Amino acid sequence: LLMFSDNQELMSGLTTLGANEEVTDATYKSLSLYTVKLYISKRVEDIKRYSDVKDVASLRWELYSKRQDEGELLPPTHSALNFHVKRANHVSLLWKRSVHDFIVSVPD
């Protein structure tokens, strides 16, 4: 996470999780890009080779067709990532609401 902290677009996607019940397109796009960056940061030679790839479907195809990666070495599909983003948003929403909605005042 620290290696991406200087990228405002990536960080905005993470900070907007749990802000609304629905995930916005901008948040999804940012988290998709974040996922791409995580997968290409595993190998130094991949950082330059795949730096122009912006979505998980394109990266899956590149990794499969060029390196014959399979299974757990490939990033999630669009549908799987969408599910995980919705789940992360829901968990973040619960945590954010629990902090604000359930504060119990203690009598003096």
Side-chain angles (χ1 to χ4, degrees):
L1 186 62
L2 289 176
M3 60 200 247
F4 302 123
S5 62
D6 60 336
N7 189 321
Q8 192 61 33
E9 181 183 359
L10 297 177
M11 294 306 291
S12 71
L14 292 171
T15 56
T16 57
L17 278 175
N20 300 307
E21 290 185 17
E22 296 294 322
V23 179
T24 64
D25 288 339
T27 300
Y28 178 80
K29 193 174 194 178
S30 176
L31 293 174
S32 178
L33 181 60
Y34 180 72
T35 304
V36 167
K37 298 293 183 189
L38 284 175
Y39 273 85
I40 65 173
S41 68
K42 290 180 180 180
R43 294 181 174 173
V44 175
E45 66 270 9
D46 289 348
I47 294 173
K48 289 183 182 178
R49 184 180 303 152
Y50 303 116
S51 62
D52 59 332
V53 176
K54 302 293 184 205
D55 62 274
V56 289
S58 299
L59 183 61
R60 279 181 67 84
W61 174 248
E62 290 292 326
L63 294 178
Y64 179 75
S65 65
K66 302 281 194 287
R67 292 195 330 214
Q68 284 74 42
D69 284 354
E70 292 186 25
E72 68 275 353
L73 297 176
L74 294 174
T77 63
H78 171 76
S79 297
L81 182 62
N82 189 33
F83 173 77
H84 289 296
V85 167
K86 286 181 179 180
R87 181 184 171 278
N89 187 65
H90 181 71
V91 170
S92 296
L93 183 68
L94 290 176
W95 277 97
K96 286 181 179 181
R97 285 185 177 172
S98 70
V99 171
H100 298 291
D101 293 345
F102 300 109
I103 296 176
V104 177
S105 60
V106 178
D108 292 331

